[in-house]
């Protein structure tokens, strides 16, 4: 079949957020489109139980990435989505959490739009919402935090630094994705920019999964805490992190 660039009328791509791990956190709409899909293009963090909800006859394409090891480069993933849609297939692009939160969903849509391919976006529960809910950490709380920020711990390709000054506020909750390897840097920068060394911190590993663990400490002890943690994990910095001790309900 020709892979020439022509606008597609029949194929369709649903960009679906699968949630952070617990398969029950998939949306009803997500389930409906997964069941109807001809092709599923999925990432490493998508739970096996969710993949099992697909039609057994559906084509399953794994394009998962690990840090420092890209299974399938992004431009090749884009190409797969475009080609399958151009073949008239109902394609589900399934990602962990939410596709628009550190999920490159925007880049994939830009590519589909370029080729005139129709698409929809089905939001998912992002790790920051799911993992903290299961860990008993309310992201905002009238007595603790009036704002929350999601930050990537990944160093930017162009070397651009995060604006640490704007993050280091005592009434702000910070949630770092992909931050385990950068925990020393995160700790140094936040303390240098004025956040107290005894600010509560939590690392939530495998959030919402049966093996979820919550490691609690302070900003000063964060690098030490991170040494004992495994991926996928979130780092939560802020007064709300201390509430986990009383409010944790999952895996108790
Ligand atoms: N799009 C995803 C994030 C992808 S980036 C979302 O919205 O959740 C991958 C990072 O997400 C991981 O390095 C980790 O920091 C975080 N993450 C994903 N699933 C997680 C889980 N179950 N528990 C803790 N952190 C998780």
């Amino acid at each position: 079949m020709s892979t020439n660039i022509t606008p597609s009328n029949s194929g369709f791509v649903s960009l679906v957020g699968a949630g952070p791990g617990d398969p029950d956190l998939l949306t009803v709409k997500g389930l409906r489109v997964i069941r109807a899909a001809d092709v599923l293009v999925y990432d490493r963090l998508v739970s096996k139980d969710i993949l099992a909800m697909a039609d057994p006859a559906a084509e399953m394409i794994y394009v998962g990435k690990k840090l420092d090891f890209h299974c399938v480069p992004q431009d090749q993933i884009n190409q797969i989505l475009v080609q399958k849609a151009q073949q008239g297939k109902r394609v589900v692009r399934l990602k962990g959490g939410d596709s628009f939160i550190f999920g490159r969903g925007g880049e994939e849509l830009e590519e589909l739009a370029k080729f005139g391919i129709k698409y929809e976006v089905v939001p998912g529960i992002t790790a920051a919402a799911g993992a903290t809910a299961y860990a008993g950490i309310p992201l905002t709380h009238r007595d603790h935090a009036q704002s929350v920020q999601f930050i990537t711990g990944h160093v930017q390709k162009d070397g651009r630094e995060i604006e640490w000054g704007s993050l280091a506020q005592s009434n702000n909750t910070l949630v770092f994705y992909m931050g385990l390897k950068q925990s020393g840097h995160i700790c140094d920068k936040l303390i240098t920019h004025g956040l107290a060394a005894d600010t509560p911190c939590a690392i939530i590993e495998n959030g919402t999964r049966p093996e979820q663990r919550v490691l609690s400490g302070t900003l000063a002890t964060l690098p030490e805490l991170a040494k004992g943690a495994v991926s996928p994990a979130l780092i939560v910095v802020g007064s709300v992190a201390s509430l986990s001790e009383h409010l944790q309900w999952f895996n108790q």
Side-chain angles (χ1 to χ4, degrees), residues 205-223:
E205 77 184 24
N206 282 306
T208 81
R209 300 179 180 160
E211 62 272 33
Q212 172 177 300
R213 271 206 315 162
V214 182
L215 312 174
S216 301
T218 63
L219 192 50
T221 64
L222 177 65

Side-chain angles (χ1 to χ4, degrees), residues 19-22 44-45 95-104 124-128 131 176-180 204-209 231-235:
D22 181 349
R44 185 173 61 96
L45 288 174
K95 289 165 183 274
D98 181 85
S99 308
F100 279 180
I101 307 280
F102 307 125
R104 300 193 182 186
I125 294 182
T126 190
F176 289 91
Y177 288 67
M178 299 170 278
L180 276 190
I204 309 169
E205 77 184 24
N206 282 306
T208 81
R209 300 179 180 160
S231 194
L234 287 178
I235 297 173

Side-chain angles (χ1 to χ4, degrees), residues 24-65:
D24 283 355
L25 294 178
L26 179 69
T27 64
V28 175
K29 185 166 186 178
L31 174 61
R32 184 162 56 72
V33 298
I34 286 170
R35 282 188 175 150
D38 302 311
V39 184
L40 276 100
V41 182
Y42 66 99
D43 279 353
R44 185 173 61 96
L45 288 174
V46 175
S47 115
K48 283 194 179 70
D49 292 336
I50 289 181
L51 297 174
M53 295 170 188
D55 181 341
E59 184 183 1
M60 309 294 279
I61 304 176
Y62 175 67
V63 293
K65 289 176 229 135

Side-chain angles (χ1 to χ4, degrees), residues 70-215:
H70 285 228
C71 265
V72 180
Q74 186 63 46
D75 55 355
Q76 223 169 303
I77 297 175
N78 295 346
Q79 210 182 348
I80 292 170
L81 297 177
V82 168
Q83 283 180 357
K84 295 290 175 188
Q86 285 179 336
Q87 290 165 10
K89 303 270 171 68
R90 276 168 301 185
V91 182
V92 164
R93 173 68 175 114
L94 198 52
K95 289 165 183 274
D98 181 85
S99 308
F100 279 180
I101 307 280
F102 307 125
R104 300 193 182 186
E107 293 170 42
E108 293 179 9
L109 290 194
E110 280 165 356
E111 195 66 14
L112 296 173
K114 217 187 322 181
F115 287 83
I117 290 163
K118 294 205 171 77
Y119 56 77
E120 67 180 354
V121 182
V122 182
I125 294 182
T126 190
T132 56
Y134 277 42
I137 300 176
L139 289 175
T140 67
H141 185 300
R142 286 196 294 172
D143 300 333
H144 296 268
Q146 279 66 51
S147 58
V148 55
Q149 284 173 290
F150 300 165
I151 307 122
T152 172
H154 236 189
V155 181
Q156 301 303 298
K157 263 190 267 174
D158 56 8
R160 236 182 319 162
E161 257 290 349
I162 287 165
E163 287 185 28
W164 294 99
S166 72
L167 300 184
Q169 311 292 330
S170 62
N171 61 347
N172 190 22
T173 303
L174 305 176
V175 184
F176 289 91
Y177 288 67
M178 299 170 278
L180 276 190
K181 285 191 176 166
Q182 297 297 321
S183 59
H185 187 63
I186 291 169
C187 162
D188 289 349
K189 288 289 183 183
L190 289 175
I191 291 176
T192 305
H193 284 81
L195 207 56
D198 63 356
T199 301
C201 280
I203 295 178
I204 309 169
E205 77 184 24
N206 282 306
T208 81
R209 300 179 180 160
E211 62 272 33
Q212 172 177 300
R213 271 206 315 162
V214 182
L215 312 174

